[in-house]
Amino acid sequence: MSNVENINLASMNMILSAGNARELYNQSMDCVENGDFAEGERLLARAEQEITEAHKLQTRLLQEAIEEEHPTITVLMVHAQDTIMAVDSEIRLIRRLQKLYRNQAWGKEEEG
């Protein structure tokens, strides 16, 4: 397998892991919106594992590129890195939104 093929394969795996993370945090938000905070937290933790896996692949590709005199950077690799950054930012926002949902739910319990 050529270097470009290896980079593209790793990039596709990065995109896959990031996409899995996005699906999991969307499911997590559905749970939290319905008051199932424990399941929401479990799904969000799985999403964070997926994005961590994507980051590990990204780090490996970047380390390999640094070691090369003329590194190969593909469009797919750039897209994969962009996807990871977007999903990572979304997960951080989702975590904050879920905290707001929990705080709001606890406030309602105190009122009732």
Side-chain angles (χ1 to χ4, degrees):
M1 195 178 290
S2 73
N3 190 33
V4 170
E5 289 172 327
N6 283 330
I7 291 168
N8 285 339
L9 179 61
S11 297
M12 287 301 298
N13 285 325
M14 289 163 52
I15 293 167
L16 179 64
S17 290
N20 289 342
R22 182 173 275 150
E23 179 61 26
L24 287 163
Y25 76 65
N26 280 321
Q27 291 173 13
S28 174
M29 269 311 290
D30 290 342
C31 289
V32 168
E33 287 172 347
N34 291 313
D36 189 351
F37 299 112
E39 181 65 7
E41 184 60 37
R42 187 186 72 74
L43 289 167
L44 190 57
R46 284 184 50 209
E48 289 172 341
Q49 289 173 344
E50 286 284 346
I51 203 67
T52 297
E53 184 59 34
H55 276 294
K56 287 178 183 177
L57 290 166
Q58 179 186 37
T59 299
R60 190 196 76 194
L61 283 180
L62 292 174
Q63 287 173 335
E64 289 172 3
I66 289 169
E67 293 171 0
E68 294 178 17
E69 186 174 338
H70 301 288
T72 302
I73 298 175
T74 68
V75 172
L76 193 58
M77 181 180 173
V78 172
H79 172 63
Q81 290 179 321
D82 180 55
T83 301
I84 290 170
M85 295 303 296
V87 172
D88 190 49
S89 294
E90 293 165 6
I91 287 174
R92 292 170 194 273
L93 179 60
I94 292 295
R95 183 153 298 283
R96 295 190 74 175
L97 284 172
Q98 289 187 4
K99 183 178 179 181
L100 287 171
Y101 270 93
R102 281 191 301 276
N103 289 342
Q104 183 182 22
W106 290 330
K108 286 181 181 178
E109 288 174 8
E110 290 175 5
E111 292 173 8

